[in-house]
Amino acid sequence: MPRYAPNRMPTDVKRRYFELLREGLMGAAAAREVGVSTSCGSLWFIDAGSMLVPDPGPICPRFLTQDDRIAIADGLHAKQPVKEIAASIGKSLSTVYREIERNRKPDGRYQPWWAHNQALLRRGRPKEEKIRSHEPLRTLVREKLTEKWSPQQVSRFLARSFGNDPAMRASPETIYRALFAGLLGFKDARLRTGRTRRKKQRRGVPQPNKIKNMTLIHQRPLEVNDRTQPGHWEGDCATRSCTNLSGLTDWRGG
């Protein structure tokens, strides 16, 4: 494999070359289109990992795009602080740090097309469940659940005990999914609550009223607050009755 050599062509030329490859053009045709030699285009392609994974586009704003990764690479080449790079692309500092550490090449360089290919490969679905494919992890998680540990406790234990082994790490969501899918056994490993099905999450959704079609206090008509009609002061009567009873109790006690 040829050694890496910095190329003085603008980044836009390189971006257009890889866009043409994704559109289906051959390497020689794409190189001729952007005005570089075929061997130069071949070196770009080899340096990017000798492959181009189909890019369906961002599925969520929090994911980095190809242009974001190009901006990160340009910032690193210009020796800009990571904080400034993150601000320029509108991402958090931790996101850019993780991107650089996760998707740099084995030789330590951050190559944006290589990084984008690696991210697309990891994003591909469907994938085999991590707990299904890794027997030691599955055994350890099953043992901890049998000891009445929660998935959050198991996940933190794995992070502390196997910090340098990604294969022995599992998030609480991964454990929940494996548990309810039956990968950990229906009898031995289960939650402390005894649930065998997932509890519906209602984050951000208000709880329904216990009484159907109940009128809230702030929705009462004005005449109710005025208490000018019979039947609108039952609450006051009940309150006064309780007050009288309490006063009577105090008098008897005195």
Side-chain angles (χ1 to χ4, degrees), residues 78-92:
K79 300 186 183 304
Q80 292 181 357
V82 179
K83 186 176 182 179
E84 294 182 5
I85 298 175
S88 65
I89 63 176
K91 302 295 182 181
S92 65

Side-chain angles (χ1 to χ4, degrees), residues 39-237:
S39 59
C40 178
S42 299
L43 289 176
W44 288 349
F45 184 73
I46 293 173
D47 192 40
S50 301
M51 64 176 178
L52 283 180
V53 183
D55 187 0
I59 58 178
C60 180
R62 68 184 180 88
F63 287 105
L64 295 174
T65 62
Q66 178 71 86
D67 291 339
D68 292 335
R69 292 185 167 93
I70 293 174
I72 293 174
D74 291 342
L76 293 176
H77 182 70
K79 300 186 183 304
Q80 292 181 357
V82 179
K83 186 176 182 179
E84 294 182 5
I85 298 175
S88 65
I89 63 176
K91 302 295 182 181
S92 65
L93 179 62
S94 59
T95 298
V96 178
Y97 263 120
R98 287 196 301 268
E99 167 64 23
I100 296 173
E101 293 299 324
R102 182 183 300 169
N103 290 328
R104 65 170 68 245
K105 297 193 69 173
D107 59 4
R109 292 184 298 111
Y110 182 82
Q111 210 272 4
W113 286 273
W114 164 280
H116 197 60
N117 285 335
Q118 297 303 312
L120 292 178
L121 288 174
R122 288 195 301 269
R123 192 193 301 178
R125 297 293 186 273
K127 290 183 178 179
E128 188 178 17
E129 297 90 337
K130 187 175 184 179
I131 292 183
R132 183 194 298 272
S133 59
H134 199 269
E135 176 64 29
L137 176 62
R138 184 169 63 251
T139 302
L140 182 56
V141 172
R142 185 189 299 114
E143 291 176 355
K144 295 302 181 182
L145 291 176
T146 306
E147 297 174 3
K148 304 302 181 182
W149 285 36
S150 68
Q152 288 79 5
Q153 290 174 325
V154 177
S155 178
R156 290 194 294 267
F157 170 78
L158 294 173
R160 291 193 301 266
S161 303
F162 305 95
N164 298 325
D165 187 3
M168 290 295 294
R169 302 280 293 275
S171 65
E173 177 68 16
T174 300
I175 299 174
Y176 273 116
R177 287 179 177 271
L179 181 65
F180 294 133
L183 301 181
L184 301 172
F186 290 101
K187 293 183 178 180
D188 297 334
R190 56 183 175 180
L191 298 177
R192 291 179 296 191
T193 58
R195 292 199 311 268
T196 58
R197 298 180 60 185
R198 182 145 197 179
K199 182 179 179 181
K200 187 176 181 179
Q201 302 294 322
R202 298 184 59 84
R203 296 188 182 93
V205 179
Q207 292 291 337
N209 295 325
K210 301 296 182 181
I211 303 175
K212 292 184 178 181
N213 301 324
M214 181 179 66
T215 301
L216 301 179
I217 294 178
H218 67 276
Q219 296 176 344
R220 296 182 302 178
L222 293 177
E223 58 268 16
V224 175
N225 295 327
D226 295 339
R227 295 178 173 82
T228 57
Q229 297 181 12
H232 288 167
W233 50 75
E234 287 87 350
D236 293 343
C237 293

